[in-house]
Amino acid sequence: MYRTPRPRLRGPAAALAAVALLGGVLTTGATAQAAPRADGQLTDLVNSFIGTQNEGNTYPGASVPFGMVQLSPDTGHNTGYDYAENHIRGFSAVHLSGVGCGLGGDLPTLPTTGDVTQTDYAKYAAEFSHDDEKASPGYYKVGLKTGIDAELTATERTGVQRYTFPATDKANVLLNAGQSLHRTLSSTVEILDNRTVRTAITGSGFCQDTKPYTVYTITHFDRPFTTSGTWNGDTVAEGSKKSSATDARNGAWLRFDTTKDRTVEATTALSYVDAEGAALNLRAEGGRSFDRVEHAAQQSWEDRLEGVKAKGGSDELRRTFYSSLYRSFLAPNIGSDVDGRYTGWDQKTHRAKGFTYYQNWSLWDTYRTQAQLLSLLAPRESRDMAISVLRIDAESGWLPKWGYGTVETNIMTGDPVTPFLTNAYQQGLLKGYEEEAYRALKKNADGVPPADSAPVGREANVQYLKDGFAPYIKDRQHAKPGDSDFDHGASATLEYALSDAMLGEMAHDLGHKADAKRYEDRAQNYRKIFDPSTGFFRARDASGAFTGPADPAQSEGFHEGTSWQYQWLVPQDLPGMVGLIGGKDAANQRLDSFFAYDKLLADPAKTAREVWVNGPYAYYNADKYNPQNEPDLIAPYTYLSTGQPWKTTDVVHAALTLFTDAPTGMTGNDDLGTMSAWMVLSSIGVFPVQPGTDTWGLSTPAFERVDIKLDRRYYPHGAFTVSAPGASESDRYIQSARIDGAAQARTYLTTDDIRSARSLSFTVGSSPSAWGTSPEDAPPALG
């Protein structure tokens, strides 16, 4: 998640009905629906509007898996689309699913009629109703109150729009180069001929100003316009062919005669390299009719969704599941043009050879869930994503923390790139790149970026390496834009120690024994911030003294959370953490309090919605589980290490009720697929309990059977099935488990288990059993 300066909580967020366990999700109120299809495919189950209200910050528009273009309507919300709003300012080409601050929204395009008199999209925005709105993967349609229908679809690097106008000789298309979801620093728009418009847009933003980036676009229409012009500020100039502006409104308008032919189609190609790159992308992916592009986009999504076949569960659960699976494939995004060129973080042009270059790295979020899901379902793309991160290091000198487009934003804290890359290594995705990756990770783990570079890296590393903890320093001046580890010293210490553990595993595998020992020792640094007087983790100041409130329900020193929520973020050594608390009995008592377990058993959905969740940005000052944010996403699986694995199922299935088939059906921001991937993995019953390794914790699936299609280049059998016949709200407790028919007493699998086996089957019943309760059944400590 990300803090947003001005959270905007709109709509009937509090009007959610309680839902039944294991998939009894309800649609509350009137909602726009997925566009119906006659062929009954899996894309029919996807509701693109889930998460568009109550700060889920998803978008309903058109894209293809991992596409550079995400063509979607913007209503005035700072991240794009808010279901509670009823005016569309434009259909812009760049969005990210679930970010917490304004980002993207480049080139909002809107059809209008009549004279062009307004140049501010907040003033010329068109009213619409959800009754006239439809969406499905790769497609979006809305009827505007102006009498114009707008349809959107996309290829990897282009967005295609089709407008159906009323009969008029003043049908306009407005291309707004000067306004976006973040700050537009400068823009240039050029009308090249009577069908083509080119722009260059330089922007900056995401929670605060960052280093600028430039996106180039070219838009080609399927018919000539009758006249055209530009605007600059308030001035509208008919016949003008070019306009440039700095930090001001700027754009082009094109006019068509639709008295006979009422449709206009436009294809916009993007490039983060240059105008030539946009033209090449248009030439390669443009030129097809809207219907052909839409069909291909839908098929690309069908192919992705068919990789996971879920059987059983309610219709509502299936819709929620496949909608989450859909969102899990929205990012990272292709960053290279069709010729392989891309702009690196050194702001120079490079060419990807033998791989596709990706960008947009919400690593603080995605390293916990989405990276692992993609490594399972999209290993080829995941490999290219990991190589892309290594290119960032090679070209800019440092690994990323939160990268947008061609720049580092430094949003969030800790060292998330390490478990992201060690996960790729452990999943077998870095063959041929192992030592390159290790060198980059070692540099990152043992140093601090130079002052003249954009990244902050492990900002508190000097103190951490010396004293074993990152100090919490109040009111420290930030040397670089973004978040600071010194503002969140306690949680940064836990994140550093987690990353050290994962890097230690990789170092050991590669034969770097001395390094492995050093990192394994540093993985124990979580102990340095444990305060025996409170029994919880606590921030320490630069002198080593514990500082801030002693109350573990307070957030001082922790990033978007409290000590209650962060205390379980020790996946590398849960036995050690449990020992600090006072043993398994004390840990289970604390876990039961944390999850309000007694209340959860009586009414899981109500407990999840009223005890755990207090608002989209309620990150602070709480002693309960917060399934709307990342710090404690792994926490439900802690019971696997305390001898009570059945409670993991109880908590996970209660949390699943927070995902519903409604615009309010996202728990917190989606964070580029992080929360969606949590839902998918937890529904399957296989979850990455030690992010950065190949360990998967087990719980009862939400479905009776899930068939997973796997890439044979990485998984020789090409498939893996998870089954739990008869699983239901009442029969949800694992009695026994088998992998390929052999008894499976452990509460976890490794990727090698998945790679070598064909099936994992559970026998379930109505009461907890002794399955998985022995100490040797728990996921092992690392090192």
Side-chain angles (χ1 to χ4, degrees), residues 229-289:
T230 65
W231 72 81
N232 195 307
D234 291 323
T235 302
V236 178
E238 184 170 357
S240 169
K241 300 298 183 183
K242 184 175 181 179
S243 178
S244 297
T246 300
D247 205 12
R249 298 193 302 276
N250 189 40
W253 56 274
L254 309 317
R255 178 162 294 164
F256 302 86
D257 186 337
T258 59
T259 53
K260 294 182 180 179
D261 182 358
R262 294 177 55 199
T263 63
V264 175
E265 294 185 12
T267 301
T268 298
L270 301 190
S271 171
Y272 288 84
V273 179
D274 54 24
E276 180 185 357
L280 287 171
N281 293 341
L282 180 67
R283 191 177 307 139
E285 299 183 14
R288 293 178 291 166
S289 70

Side-chain angles (χ1 to χ4, degrees), residues 64-310:
V64 297
F66 312 121
M68 181 185 290
V69 172
Q70 309 87 36
L71 187 57
S72 189
D74 296 327
T75 63
H77 187 272
N78 68 325
T79 67
Y81 182 95
D82 186 341
Y83 194 84
E85 296 174 334
N86 65 353
H87 282 75
I88 291 173
R89 298 181 174 188
F91 306 102
S92 63
V94 178
H95 296 84
L96 294 180
S97 182
V99 292
C101 299
L103 193 61
D106 298 296
L107 197 66
T109 302
L110 191 72
T112 69
T113 58
D115 294 328
V116 177
T117 59
Q118 296 287 351
T119 62
D120 182 349
Y121 64 1
K123 294 181 178 179
Y124 66 66
E127 187 178 0
F128 75 104
S129 166
H130 297 306
D131 294 336
D132 301 316
E133 192 178 33
K134 295 180 180 180
S136 64
Y139 177 76
Y140 173 87
K141 180 179 180 180
V142 65
L144 304 175
K145 296 293 185 181
T146 54
I148 304 168
D149 288 343
E151 297 172 270
L152 316 178
T153 189
T155 70
E156 288 183 337
R157 298 172 179 84
T158 75
V160 185
Q161 304 186 44
R162 178 165 65 191
Y163 310 121
T164 303
F165 288 92
T168 176
D169 61 356
K170 290 185 178 181
N172 312 308
V173 177
L174 310 184
L175 291 152
N176 191 333
Q179 292 180 295
S180 64
L181 298 177
H182 54 184
R183 184 183 176 192
T184 300
L185 300 176
S186 63
S187 64
T188 297
V189 58
E190 300 174 86
I191 300 173
L192 301 181
D193 55 41
N194 64 357
R195 290 176 183 247
T196 313
V197 182
R198 182 169 64 193
T199 73
I201 301 167
T202 299
S204 173
F206 191 32
C207 299
Q208 55 186 296
D209 281 344
T210 58
K211 192 173 182 178
Y213 74 95
T214 299
V215 60
Y216 301 87
T217 82
I218 187 165
T219 301
H220 187 74
F221 291 85
D222 69 336
R223 55 189 287 194
F225 26 87
T226 57
T227 189
S228 62
T230 65
W231 72 81
N232 195 307
D234 291 323
T235 302
V236 178
E238 184 170 357
S240 169
K241 300 298 183 183
K242 184 175 181 179
S243 178
S244 297
T246 300
D247 205 12
R249 298 193 302 276
N250 189 40
W253 56 274
L254 309 317
R255 178 162 294 164
F256 302 86
D257 186 337
T258 59
T259 53
K260 294 182 180 179
D261 182 358
R262 294 177 55 199
T263 63
V264 175
E265 294 185 12
T267 301
T268 298
L270 301 190
S271 171
Y272 288 84
V273 179
D274 54 24
E276 180 185 357
L280 287 171
N281 293 341
L282 180 67
R283 191 177 307 139
E285 299 183 14
R288 293 178 291 166
S289 70
F290 182 95
D291 289 333
R292 288 183 60 193
V293 174
E294 190 275 327
H295 176 77
Q298 186 271 338
Q299 189 58 53
S300 70
W301 280 113
E302 190 66 30
D303 292 343
R304 287 288 175 186
L305 299 180
E306 283 183 342
V308 183
K309 294 287 186 68

Side-chain angles (χ1 to χ4, degrees), residues 669-682:
N669 301 155
D670 191 31
D671 293 318
L672 276 69
T674 299
M675 309 307 285
S676 294
W678 188 97
M679 192 275 172
V680 170
L681 289 163
S682 294

Side-chain angles (χ1 to χ4, degrees), residues 1-5 99-103 205-210 345 361-365 368 400-404 407-417 454-457 459 478 480-485 488 495 559-560 669 671:
M1 305 299 178
Y2 324 103
R3 67 181 190 273
T4 182
V99 292
C101 299
L103 193 61
F206 191 32
C207 299
Q208 55 186 296
D209 281 344
T210 58
W345 282 27
W361 305 104
S362 181
L363 295 175
W364 188 80
D365 311 285
R368 306 166 201 259
K401 178 170 283 188
W402 208 119
Y404 176 62
V407 300
E408 173 66 84
T409 72
N410 291 321
I411 294 300
M412 307 313 296
T413 49
D415 177 18
V417 71
V456 295
E459 186 183 15
H478 291 200
K480 300 177 182 180
D483 289 309
S484 171
D485 290 344
H488 313 283
E495 299 268 14
H559 202 175
E560 294 187 356
N669 301 155
D671 293 318

Side-chain angles (χ1 to χ4, degrees), residues 335-470:
S336 51
D337 294 335
V338 292
D339 61 356
R341 293 186 308 147
Y342 64 90
T343 296
W345 282 27
D346 56 0
Q347 305 309 306
K348 297 178 181 179
T349 301
H350 303 273
R351 192 181 299 272
K353 296 180 180 179
F355 74 102
T356 298
Y357 182 81
Y358 288 86
Q359 57 192 24
N360 300 335
W361 305 104
S362 181
L363 295 175
W364 188 80
D365 311 285
T366 58
Y367 89 79
R368 306 166 201 259
T369 60
Q370 194 234 16
Q372 292 84 353
L373 181 64
L374 294 186
S375 72
L376 195 65
L377 301 181
R380 281 181 279 183
E381 290 86 352
S382 294
R383 173 177 170 84
D384 286 359
M385 292 169 189
I387 293 171
S388 299
V389 168
L390 294 179
R391 297 315 302 159
I392 291 173
D393 174 78
E395 292 154 8
S396 72
W398 216 262
L399 289 168
K401 178 170 283 188
W402 208 119
Y404 176 62
T406 65
V407 300
E408 173 66 84
T409 72
N410 291 321
I411 294 300
M412 307 313 296
T413 49
D415 177 18
V417 71
T418 293
F420 172 83
L421 281 175
T422 61
N423 170 72
Y425 165 74
Q426 297 289 356
Q427 306 297 344
L429 304 180
L430 284 180
K431 293 187 186 305
Y433 291 86
E434 296 94 336
E435 289 296 338
E436 178 183 348
Y438 180 73
R439 288 193 299 272
L441 287 169
K442 180 179 179 179
K443 177 177 61 178
N444 176 75
D446 293 343
V448 179
D452 60 353
S453 67
V456 295
R458 286 198 187 196
E459 186 183 15
N461 224 14
V462 172
Q463 295 86 341
Y464 174 80
L465 298 181
K466 174 177 176 289
D467 301 320
F469 63 89

